[in-house]
Amino acid sequence: MKSIPAARGIQPFDSSDKGEPVALAPRNVFLSNAPNNQHCLTRWTNYYELPIEYRVEIHHGIFQPSNPTLATEFMPDSLPEKRRFLVVDNSVDDLYGQEIRSYFDFYGVRAHLVIIRGEEENKRFDAVEKVFQELCTFGLHRREPIIAVGGGVVLDVVGFVASIYRRGVPYIRVPTTLLALVDASVGVKTGVDFVSDTKGPLKNRMGSFHAPCAAYLDKRFISTQNTRNIVNGLGEIMKLALVRSVTLFELLEKNGARIVEEKFQGEKLGEDQVINLSIQIMLEELGPNLWEYDLERCVDFGHSFSKIIEMQCTDGIMHGEAVNVDGFFCCILSWRRGLLTREELERVFLCMKSIGLPTIHTLCQPDTLWRGVEDAIEHRHGQQRIPLVRGIGHSVIVNDITREEIVQAVGDLESIHQ
């Protein structure tokens, strides 16, 4: 049998040592009566390639009656009535709840809304159980999608629910924050946080890879976000700029402050370019490596130390803020290694400050940050695999950051902020 082409980081399937294909499933099941193991008498090998396809679409007015998408797309024909099961962020319900209900009324679709709270402190299994109870009462069919409407917390919770309810049902994402538009809505990761008896709160320790049917993005939602939440989303966009795109960095450098002020609702091209380029970069990085078989990922930039800061923080730091603090610290590590010039480091610092992104936190102490290195080694299968910046728009993965290097970089970080 011809080998199936490999995705990045995955070895192609080779049936030559798996045995003979069985007659009724020759592409999937292979039988060997004499495997190379003295204790095994018979062995079957089952191979299945999982097809993954989902759409990421940018819309204008996703809940406007003129746009039938959410009332019609992925609606099962077998249902006795037109209906939708939605999980909605409580803040979104306050702002758009009546519009959402009126939209489905317009199309004659019975909408069942479950309201849950966003914010990281609510990203717990309790939220999963609440949605499960509602699903059981509603009687969701196996091919009937859940619609998640909200920020990253709601999208992650609903994605996790969809991956385990009846061992997997479809779902649709409608992100309503800038952070969710460019991050949580684009990939296939889901999850909730877990509080360990020994290690305390752990970010996304329970989760799965489960692709949505589609993600429908509408930047109109950003207009009702406050400045801090918009800047929070720009933390993930800055990450992509630093490791992948000089063009994106220059867009932020030139337009960032104005874009924040106009809440991405301006009529100039910069706003759309920033969002479109961010989404495309994320898809280019995630697309060939959705299940993260390749653990050396440049999009992990800003996610080595930030998880510790975010989970240990008591003053409510947001995800994108923690990512940017991590990212700037990694820029200092990059500069210390000669990967960034001093001029580039200062340019990054000034760009971040012009947007309003934080670049330091009280938890930026050697012991705390070293725990980030230890967690990275555990999460990335025995090696640090920490992305650093190699000139703005490029990256390199390193495995040899030392504790002394962390101590010295913290000193540099503090000096910059004096």
Side-chain angles (χ1 to χ4, degrees), residues 124-138:
R124 298 286 195 271
F125 198 75
D126 288 349
V128 174
E129 289 188 314
K130 177 178 179 178
V131 179
F132 251 70
Q133 293 287 358
E134 295 279 356
L135 284 167
C136 292
T137 301
F138 182 80

Side-chain angles (χ1 to χ4, degrees), residues 125 128 155-165 190-192 206-208:
F125 198 75
V128 174
L155 300 190
D156 281 358
V157 168
V158 173
F160 185 49
V161 168
S163 74
I164 58 177
Y165 186 75
T190 79
V192 295
M206 300 174 70
S208 62

